[in-house]
Structure formats: C-alpha cells, structure tokens
Amino acid sequence: MTLDGKIATQKGSSEISGQEDLLRVHRLRKEMDGIMVGINTVLADDPRLTVHKISSNPEDNPLRVVVDSKARTPPEYRILNPEAPTLIAVSQEASPDKIKALEEDGKAEVIICGDKQVDLNCLMDELGNKGIKTLMLEGGSTLNYSMLGAGLVNEIRVCIAPMIAGGVKAKTLVDGKGVDYMKDAFRLNLKKSYSLGKDLIIEYEVL
Ligand SMILES: NC(=O)c1ccc[n+]([C@@H]2O[C@H](COP(=O)([O-])OP(=O)(O)OC[C@H]3O[C@@H](n4cnc5c(N)ncnc54)[C@H](OP(=O)(O)O)[C@@H]3O)[C@@H](O)[C@H]2O)c1
C-alpha cells in the first residue's frame, strides 16, 4: 500500500510494490498452500497469482482461490490458466451455466458456500478438508474487511511504498463496513519491521 493506505488509485491502478517486494511476495506465495483474492481484484487486475518471478516449476504454485458469489470470473482470465490449480468459491446466487463454464476443461473447481455472499467460515472448512492449512489473502479491501470481521486473519504483512495517492474513492487496505468506534477496531501486535529497497515491510499478529 501507499503511505496513505491506498491499495489502488481511484481509477484502479495498483502497481505499488518495488521489485524487491514483488520477489518477497512470490517467495511468500511459494510457502503457502493457497492464495486467495476477491472477485473485484480478479476483474480489476487479471492477476496470474503464481510464483513465476522466482520459479518456473508448476509444483511451486499454490492453489488459487477466488471468492466470487455469482461466478463472475471470466473464463478467459489468467486466474484460470493452466499454470496452477484454481478453486472458485461461489454461493447459491451463482447460475449453473456460469459454474459449468468455469469447470469446463478442468479450468477450475467450483464449490458452493453460503446463500447470498460466500460464507467464509464454510470456505475455510472446505479448504481445510482439502489439506490447505496456510492461506495468504491478497485483497482486495472488501474481502480483507470480511476476513478480519470473521476472525479469520492470524497475521498481517504490509509493504508501505514511499508514495501517496490520495483520492476519497481510492481503495484502502481495509474498507467494507468498518467499525463505528475505535474501541472496536481490530487490534494488532507488532512483530517485525524492516526496510526493503525503498519500501518498508511491517509484520503484525492479529490479537
Ligand atoms: N495493492 C494491492 O496489494 C492490492 C491487492 C489486491 C487488490 N487490490 C485492488 O483492490 C481493488 C479491489 O478491491 P475490492 O475491495 O473492490 O474488491 P475485492 O475485495 O477484491 O472483492 C470483493 C468482492 O468479493 C465478493 N465476495 C463474495 N463473498 C464475500 C464476502 N463474504 N466478503 C467480502 N466479499 C465477498 C463480493 O462480490 P460478489 O458478491 O459478486 O461475490 C465483493 O464485492 C482493485 O482495484 C485491486 O487492484 C490491490
């Protein structure tokens, strides 16, 4: 994120990290069983969510997980390429036709969790049953808030780039409904901080 907590500009441009940080993220991905993002991140960035900057071995790529109630993931997007396996979590709102298009040719596995939006506790149980024990959430801000609110985040690692974007509509690290009073804010414990190139890395445990 930028110093003012933005993870994208108000037009959705989100290239923030320096080269060293991108390598750090890919190394971290490689240690994980899964990487998860919300559907708006897929639609905005068309990410690959692989470890291609540090390895060309397909086995180093963790499972990619998209939280996508209505199965809006476009079948031609890179998240469904054959570089790594992908799981799309949808709710009962997703149409059978869209689910079928995502499952076609083994592009993705689709699981249904929840009636309207994806039920994140149900999703974590399903992932646990599949042997996914470590999961890195990579945004965006709406899903970040829901995961924190559901008590499903153990640790937070942020990279603060020496940039300020501003913009009242620009997404921040955590948006969603937010809390009304500071006494209800999610509390963190500082574990580690260090500089990486021009960026600052901060690691917290969630209390
Ligand atoms: N700088 C960075 O590191 C970084 C990282 C990631 C993203 N980004 C930026 O963040 C922006 C996208 O963030 P965003 O906040 O708009 O979207 P998001 O968090 O990526 O996706 C949110 C969507 O996920 C779906 N969803 C399904 N179940 C949910 C649940 N239980 N809780 C929350 N969401 C659920 C909802 O859509 P449905 O109801 O349709 O399913 C919801 O609108 C993009 O501009 C992207 O570039 C930046």
Side-chain angles (χ1 to χ4, degrees):
M1 65 182 192
T2 61
L3 179 61
D4 52 335
K6 305 297 189 187
I7 61 165
T9 67
Q10 46 200 0
K11 290 208 162 183
S13 140
S14 63
E15 299 80 25
I16 300 171
S17 286
Q19 199 54 36
E20 289 101 327
D21 186 55
L22 291 173
L23 292 173
R24 179 191 65 92
V25 170
H26 281 228
R27 278 194 285 269
L28 204 48
R29 284 179 181 170
K30 187 166 171 276
E31 288 170 27
M32 298 289 134
D33 297 325
I35 317 171
M36 185 167 92
V37 292
I39 177 61
N40 291 351
T41 295
V42 170
L43 296 176
D45 300 343
D46 189 14
R48 281 161 80 181
L49 292 187
T50 60
V51 301
H52 61 270
K53 288 191 186 296
I54 55 157
S55 167
S56 52
N57 180 355
E59 289 183 6
D60 287 336
N61 287 319
L63 176 72
R64 303 177 287 195
V65 180
V66 184
V67 180
D68 177 13
S69 316
K70 302 182 200 73
R72 290 188 287 145
T73 303
E76 71 281 10
Y77 269 33
R78 300 195 298 178
I79 197 93
L80 293 170
N81 69 19
E83 285 179 294
T86 303
L87 182 143
I88 313 269
V90 304
S91 72
Q92 301 287 353
E93 297 273 303
S95 78
D97 283 354
K98 287 200 164 166
I99 293 178
K100 203 170 151 211
L102 292 172
E103 287 174 330
E104 208 166 78
D105 305 326
K107 279 199 178 92
E109 180 184 355
V110 177
I111 59 167
I112 302 177
C113 272
D115 298 332
K116 296 233 176 298
Q117 278 213 313
V118 173
D119 178 332
L120 297 171
N121 281 297
C122 159
L123 173 58
M124 293 306 115
D125 286 343
E126 292 284 343
L127 290 175
N129 292 339
K130 290 178 185 300
I132 305 297
K133 304 294 183 203
T134 51
L135 182 70
M136 179 155 77
L137 171 61
E138 287 202 39
S141 45
T142 307
L143 186 58
N144 286 350
Y145 180 78
S146 293
M147 285 288 286
L148 275 166
L152 293 170
V153 183
N154 307 115
E155 206 181 296
I156 298 178
R157 297 188 187 186
V158 287
C159 165
I160 302 182
M163 302 162 84
I164 292 176
V168 76
K169 291 195 183 133
K171 300 271 173 189
T172 66
L173 179 66
V174 181
D175 288 333
K177 257 175 66 194
V179 299
D180 288 333
Y181 301 99
M182 233 8 128
K183 71 175 176 49
D184 300 322
F186 305 108
R187 302 281 160 166
L188 314 174
N189 183 27
L190 177 65
K191 299 281 283 184
K192 192 172 164 186
S193 64
Y194 57 97
S195 33
L196 185 65
K198 292 178 179 167
D199 299 336
L200 177 64
I201 310 296
I202 314 182
E203 302 184 2
Y204 299 95
E205 106 186 272
V206 179
L207 297 176

